[in-house]
Amino acid sequence: MKAAEGMFDESVVFVTKQGTQVRTDGGRIVVWDVDGDDGELASYPTEKLDTINVFGGVNFSTPFVAEANEHGIVLNYFTQNGQYRGSFVPERNTIAEVRRAQYALSEQDELEIAKAMIAGKIRNARTLLSRKGVHGTDVLKDLGVRAENASSKDDLRGTEGEAAERYFDRLDETLTDGWTFEKRTKRPPEDHINSLLSLTYVMVKNEVLSGLRQYNLDPFLGVLHADRHGRPSLALDLQEEFRPLFCDSLVTRLVNRGVITHDDFTADNHLADDPFKTYLSKFDEYMQEEFVHPHFDYSVSRRKAIRQQVILLRKAITDEMDSYHALTFSR
Amino acid sequence: MSSELINVSDLNQYAYCPRRYWYLHFYDTQGRNYERIEGKTTHENKSTRGDWVNELYLESEQLGLKGKIDVLDIDDAQPVPVERKRAESGEYYRSDELQLAGYCLLLEEHIDEPVREGAIYLYETDQRMHVPITEDHRETVRQQVNAIQAMSIDSIPSLTDNPKKCEACSTREYCMPEETVMLEPEQAEGTGFEEVISE
C-alpha cells in the first residue's frame, strides 16, 4: 500500500524575509521583494498551498487575501522570532456539523481521546530515550499503563505531569558534550536548550493548528488542556504525542550535530536572526523528511503524518471511527 | 430536506461510491475536486453545432431530479440526450449509464414522450456509443434518488466494495479507507476491504 497522493508536503510556506509582500499572479502565489530590488523571490502554484506562515514585516496584498479565502489557504502571523500572533481563516473552513460534533463530546468521550494522546506521548518518550541508548525507563512504562487506565482528566493530568518529569530527568543523557539539560523552564526559557524546545513546540503546535483548521475542527476547544481565552487547547492536546519524537528529537539533533551552537543565541536566550533562519529551514526540512509509518507501513513525511492524525481525530469526533488512534512508535 | 431535487450528475457520484458522495455532499469544503473542475472546462470549450441543443436544463418534482443535459441531438425525429465523458480507459461505467438514464427520464417527462435511448460520447476515442435505457436503469435511478434523499450526516456509508475505485478518488486522502481498516479491522466487514486486511 502507498500513501494517498496528498498536497501536504509542500503545502506549507514560510516567509521570513523582511520587507516582502505576498501577492497573486496568474494562478500563482508570489513573494515579492518590495523594499529591496530583488523582485520575485519565490512563487508557488495556488492549488498546492494550504498554509502560509509569515514572520515579522511581511504583508499580503488584498487580492491575495481574497484568493486565500477562495482557495482555503490559512495565513498565520508570527513575530520576527517566531511568536504566534494570530491567523486569517478562510470562511469555508467551517463545517457546522464538525463543530457540532466536537462541542457535543461528552466528558467521557474527551477522556478517552485524551488518554490515547497521553499514553501515546509516554510511549514515544520511552522510544526516544531508548533510541538514544538511555535505558531503565520502566517507570515510564508503568505510567503509560496508568494513563491508559485513568479514571478522570485530573488523574490523567497527574500521570502526564509525573511522566514528563521522569522523562525530562533523563533527557540530559541524550545530549552531546557541552550541552546540558537540567530542568524544563518555560516563561522564560532559562537556557539555550529550553529555548530551542520552546521554539520547536511553538512550531509544531502551529503545524497541528493549521491541520485542525484545514479539517474544520475548533483548535480552541480542547479535550484535556483547560480552556483559556486565546489558548489553542485542542492543538496542545494533539501535539502531546508528537513532542518526544517530532520536537525533542529535532532539538537534540540540531545541537548534537553542531547545526546550532551556543554562539547562535542572544543574551536573552533567543536565536539571533541568521541562526533563526537556519532553524526555520532545518525545521521545514525535518517536517518533509519521510519515515516508515508504524501503523500503515508506507513512507510519509512528518508533516503528512501530523495531518493524518488530525483526520483520525476528526473521525473519532464525528463517529466515523470508534476511537482515536495516536501515532506511536514502539522502537 | 427530502423534497430537495437531486442533481443527475450526483447519481453518478453516488453510484461510484456512496461514501465518496457523502463526503462531497457534507464535507467538501476544500473545493478541490479536480476531475469535476476539469470536466467543466472541457464542456465549456466545446462549441455549438447545427441540430444540437447544448446544455438543456430540466427539473422534475415528480422524479426528484434536476440537471443539465450536455447535448440534445435532434438530428433524427427522436431526441437523444448525449453525455460527454472523459475516460482514459476508453470505456464508460455503469455509473455513467445511470446518469444518462436520469437525463432520459427528465427529458421524457419534459416532452411527454418515451425516451428509450441516450448516448455517451468519449473524448479519448471520439466515439459515440448508444445506450438503450432499460427498465432496470429506471428502477435503479428511482432507488438511488430515494437513497440520496434519505442520506444524513449521521449515517456514514460503509467503505466501497471495490477498493480499486479509491485509487483515483479525490476524497481518499481524508476518507483514509485502508488506514481505517488497519486501525479498526471490524470496519472492513462486508466491504471490499475484507481481502485487503487478510492479505
Side-chain angles (χ1 to χ4, degrees), chain A residues 144-160:
Chain A
V145 174
R146 224 168 85 189
E148 277 167 21
N149 296 320
S151 56
S152 69
K153 286 189 186 180
D154 278 343
D155 186 12
L156 185 59
R157 284 187 197 106
T159 306
E160 194 277 317

Side-chain angles (χ1 to χ4, degrees), chain A residues 41 47 109 116 172 222 302 325 329:
Chain A
L41 297 170
E47 296 293 336
D109 294 337
D172 185 50
R302 292 189 176 86
H325 302 266
F329 297 77

Side-chain angles (χ1 to χ4, degrees), chain A residues 2, chain B residues 16-17 20 35 93 159-170 172 177-178 191-193 195-196 199:
Chain A
K2 72 186 212 324
Chain B
Y16 187 83
C17 173
R20 171 182 161 81
E35 278 170 65
Y93 299 98
L159 298 172
T160 175
D161 51 10
N162 179 4
K164 277 205 168 60
K165 286 179 174 175
C166 300
E167 283 166 22
C169 177
S170 62
R172 180 183 166 195
E178 294 195 33
T191 75
F193 284 89
E195 281 173 36
V196 174
E199 269 166 22

Side-chain angles (χ1 to χ4, degrees), chain A residues 1-2 5-7 49 92 95 97-98 214 296 298 311 314-315 318 320-323 325, chain B residues 19 22-23 27 29-30 32 34 153 156 172-176 178-179 182-184 186-187:
Chain A
M1 169 161 115
K2 72 186 212 324
E5 296 295 322
M7 290 166 278
L49 297 189
R92 65 155 50 106
I95 304 182
E97 290 295 337
V98 175
Q214 217 67 49
F296 307 145
Y298 51 62
I311 296 167
R314 180 169 91 168
K315 285 179 185 297
T318 57
E320 269 181 65
M321 290 180 78
D322 295 334
S323 44
H325 302 266
Chain B
R19 188 171 169 110
W22 183 81
Y23 278 125
Y27 280 85
T29 54
Q30 317 283 347
R32 285 173 169 168
Y34 295 125
I153 191 153
I156 306 154
R172 180 183 166 195
E173 77 184 45
Y174 58 98
C175 178
M176 296 179 76
E178 294 195 33
E179 291 86 347
M182 287 177 96
L183 294 168
E184 297 185 351
E186 63 278 10
Q187 294 219 25

